[in-house]
Amino acid sequence: MTITCIIKYEIDPYQKDAFEDYARNWNEAIPRCGADLIGYYAPHEGSATLAYGIYNIDDLAAYEAYRARLSADPLGRANYEFSRERKFIRREDRTFLRRVTGNNGGGLIK
């Protein structure tokens, strides 16, 4: 069963460009390290501080192996350091979900 990791970020609204650079770097590193990146989403309208990163992974064991590869990846390490140096991420929370419907929704009433 595939699970989806949704990372909710609270970012510095004055460093949105730095967050977008950070997100673009993950576009290369995340797939290379074994997860299926759905995308990163930066503020556009409404909240100026809320952003998301979303990817799929096979299971929690695969997630742990992926995180180890990402930590060892040169771009992954550089991106983590970039976020620490610039401090544009104020908070991040990860949630793991499983899909229960297809793209068209649907379901049966029992």
Side-chain angles (χ1 to χ4, degrees), residues 35-87:
D36 175 24
L37 181 64
I38 295 169
Y40 265 75
Y41 300 84
H44 177 68
E45 195 65 37
S47 173
T49 61
L50 188 59
Y52 291 93
I54 305 170
Y55 60 87
N56 291 322
I57 194 111
D58 289 337
D59 53 36
L60 290 176
Y63 170 75
E64 293 300 329
Y66 151 79
R67 292 284 293 183
R69 287 189 299 273
L70 198 60
S71 294
D73 183 84
L75 181 56
R77 282 194 317 268
N79 217 25
Y80 284 128
E81 187 57 34
F82 173 60
S83 71
R84 281 192 290 269
E85 287 173 2
R86 295 285 301 272
K87 296 184 169 120

Side-chain angles (χ1 to χ4, degrees), residues 2-74:
T2 299
I3 57 175
T4 300
C5 179
I6 300 177
I7 308 169
K8 179 180 177 182
Y9 295 96
E10 179 185 333
I11 64 170
D12 180 339
Y14 300 105
Q15 295 195 64
K16 188 171 84 170
D17 290 343
F19 178 80
E20 290 178 7
D21 289 341
Y22 172 83
R24 281 189 279 278
N25 287 334
W26 288 137
N27 194 55
E28 182 180 329
I30 288 173
R32 179 173 58 232
C33 291
D36 175 24
L37 181 64
I38 295 169
Y40 265 75
Y41 300 84
H44 177 68
E45 195 65 37
S47 173
T49 61
L50 188 59
Y52 291 93
I54 305 170
Y55 60 87
N56 291 322
I57 194 111
D58 289 337
D59 53 36
L60 290 176
Y63 170 75
E64 293 300 329
Y66 151 79
R67 292 284 293 183
R69 287 189 299 273
L70 198 60
S71 294
D73 183 84

Side-chain angles (χ1 to χ4, degrees), residues 85-99:
E85 287 173 2
R86 295 285 301 272
K87 296 184 169 120
F88 52 85
I89 298 174
R90 294 178 174 168
R91 178 181 175 153
E92 68 181 80
D93 294 306
R94 282 177 177 72
T95 301
F96 296 90
L97 303 173
R98 62 183 173 81
R99 183 181 227 172

